[in-house]
Amino acid sequence: MGVGGVDQTAVRLRFLADCEFALEARSQAVEKEETMKIKNAILISACLVLTCALPSPAQQKGQWVPGGFGLNAGVVPDPGITYANVAVNYSADRLNNSNGDRILQNVTGTYSFWVDENIIYYVPAHKFLGGYFMPFIAINYATGSLVADLPPLLPGSTSGISLSAGGSGFADTYVQPLNMGWHLGDRVDFNAGYSFTAPTGRYTAGAKDNVGSGYWGNNITSGTTFYITKNKGTSANLFTDWEIHGRKTVASPVSGQLSKITPGQAFTMEWGIGQALPLKKDMSMLAQLGLVGYDQWQVTSNGGNYLVAGIPVAASRVPYYSVHGIGFQSNFILPARNLALFFKYYDEYSAKARVQGRTIVFGGSWTLRIPKPAAHEIKTRQDTEPR
């Protein structure tokens, strides 16, 4: 699910990953010795401001947090009110440059956050345009931390620096006011919609306890589930999200000034191949197992300028980020009770210009069906969350 959060890291991590462009701009106007002093100062400042970006799912990877969808990406919830609680944990101990290679080899640390998403769907019983209107809202609570141990950075120093930061609170709110779902024949479920991320989470440029992204976001989404077998037990799934970001204010390294930048647009693709298995012959209890993965790319350059040591540097010079993860999903479904539980694990096998780690997602959903189904109706497949 897309939620805002520790977004300041977006600037800091990318700055750490490729800060040489700022040094090149400065080196033309100073002596070599002075350049080295500035380089050290910028590196120290970058590491310091890196800790001012917590806790946020929006750090250096857009506002959409990959891992929200896997199996059943196109499924339309039953008419009524569906509540889903989704817990997302992301953790990483590696920072990569724009080539995907680990940087800062002699720096140890961890970056992690938890997000608890409370999602409410409403699906009217009557159809509209041949499908179902299915808007929803996600109210999110986030908590996160960053801890880093740095080696001596200045000439003559004998001891390193330990840095830490963190915070918790209500994060940005994700709203999908326009969302439609269709059953296309017997083999395809499909949905498409528009959503926005409202910057309701706490955010102050340069603060160490941010839980909001500090800017508005817009999303165009789609979800597709193709049932490979006639009994719908085997499915292939694809979810896509295109996010467009508004302008935000960030703290500038060294100078203490503020910069206005617009994060580049991002595209996320999440997929899954699953198999449903009856745990009881009457289909009253089901399991669903599958292979899942996600891929996310920055697709347009950043707008605006960063102020680095008082010098404006085009944000477009910051390298594009990307990440790719693969894992598994398991669902436990009680159709008659409209109840589903799920667990997902992803390991990121590639990342550029950002951190690389792992994602764990778990939770469940319950649907209050309106109107209430007839007593003789038996549900043989999952029509609600988990995703």
Side-chain angles (χ1 to χ4, degrees):
M1 181 60 57
V3 290
V6 192
D7 183 75
Q8 284 195 60
T9 338
V11 177
R12 283 62 171 186
L13 289 177
R14 269 185 271 184
F15 181 73
L16 272 174
D18 210 299
C19 66
E20 290 301 323
F21 70 83
L23 298 177
E24 293 172 4
R26 182 64 173 171
S27 62
Q28 297 177 359
V30 295
E31 298 292 335
K32 181 177 180 180
E33 181 178 358
E34 185 66 19
T35 301
M36 290 305 299
K37 292 180 180 179
I38 293 173
K39 183 175 181 178
N40 287 332
I42 290 177
L43 179 58
I44 294 172
S45 176
C47 293
L48 289 173
V49 296
L50 178 61
T51 68
C52 302
L54 307 165
S56 161
Q59 65 80 22
Q60 187 56 8
K61 54 179 179 179
Q63 290 176 312
W64 184 271
V65 181
F69 286 84
L71 304 181
N72 312 309
V75 167
V76 180
D78 284 323
I81 298 174
T82 295
Y83 169 74
N85 183 266
V86 181
V88 181
N89 172 250
Y90 182 83
S91 59
D93 55 9
R94 171 173 173 153
L95 175 62
N96 292 351
N97 62 16
S98 57
N99 294 320
D101 300 320
R102 183 167 186 160
I103 64 174
L104 301 178
Q105 298 288 343
N106 53 352
V107 175
T108 59
T110 59
Y111 169 79
S112 65
F113 65 79
W114 280 93
V115 179
D116 183 70
E117 304 177 10
N118 296 277
I119 306 168
I120 301 175
Y121 277 92
Y122 172 64
V123 181
H126 59 277
K127 289 186 177 182
F128 176 71
L129 297 178
Y132 292 91
F133 182 54
M134 42 184 285
F136 70 91
I137 183 173
I139 301 173
N140 312 295
Y141 189 90
T143 182
S145 65
L146 182 147
V147 178
D149 293 320
L150 308 178
L153 298 176
L154 294 175
S157 299
T158 58
S159 60
I161 303 174
S162 294
L163 303 174
S164 63
S168 61
F170 284 99
D172 293 351
T173 302
Y174 184 85
V175 182
Q176 188 148 36
L178 300 176
N179 195 25
M180 289 291 299
W182 293 269
H183 301 299
L184 304 178
D186 294 328
R187 290 295 183 95
V188 178
D189 281 345
F190 174 78
N191 62 67
Y194 160 78
S195 58
F196 63 87
T197 300
T200 56
R202 182 177 64 249
Y203 179 85
T204 301
K208 294 184 178 181
D209 60 350
N210 289 330
V211 289
S213 63
Y215 62 98
W216 289 85
N218 296 277
N219 301 70
I220 300 173
T221 66
S222 73
T224 305
T225 294
F226 172 69
Y227 301 102
I228 299 174
T229 56
K230 187 175 181 179
N231 66 0
K232 302 183 179 180
T234 307
S235 66
N237 305 269
L238 178 66
F239 169 84
T240 66
D241 172 81
W242 189 291
E243 53 185 302
I244 304 168
H245 305 132
R247 192 172 71 164
K248 68 172 299 181
T249 302
V250 298
S252 300
V254 181
S255 65
Q257 297 176 315
L258 299 179
S259 302
K260 299 286 187 179
I261 62 116
T262 301
Q265 298 177 25
F267 177 75
T268 303
M269 180 176 68
E270 305 190 27
W271 55 269
I273 300 175
Q275 176 65 52
L277 303 169
L279 299 180
K280 289 188 175 181
K281 292 183 179 180
D282 62 0
M283 307 293 285
S284 63
M285 184 180 296
L286 305 174
Q288 191 178 28
L289 304 175
L291 180 71
V292 294
Y294 59 70
D295 306 273
Q296 185 179 71
W297 301 268
Q298 181 182 346
V299 293
T300 67
S301 60
N302 301 321
N305 294 293
Y306 293 112
L307 289 176
V308 181
I311 300 174
V313 178
S316 60
R317 301 185 66 179
V318 176
Y320 285 25
Y321 61 83
S322 64
V323 67
H324 308 275
I326 192 170
F328 68 90
Q329 178 173 351
S330 60
N331 299 337
F332 176 74
I333 307 163
L334 298 175
R337 297 188 179 184
N338 305 306
L339 178 68
L341 304 175
F342 63 93
F343 177 87
K344 289 181 280 186
Y345 174 83
Y346 300 85
D347 186 68
E348 294 177 348
Y349 58 88
S350 175
K352 295 182 178 180
R354 52 152 286 165
V355 292
Q356 179 178 335
R358 60 214 58 85
T359 302
I360 297 174
V361 185
F362 60 90
S365 68
W366 176 76
T367 299
L368 174 63
R369 297 182 67 180
I370 304 173
K372 187 175 181 180
H376 67 276
E377 181 179 349
I378 298 177
K379 192 175 181 183
T380 58
R381 70 178 182 88
Q382 178 207 8
D383 277 334
T384 59
E385 302 293 317
R387 300 164 303 188

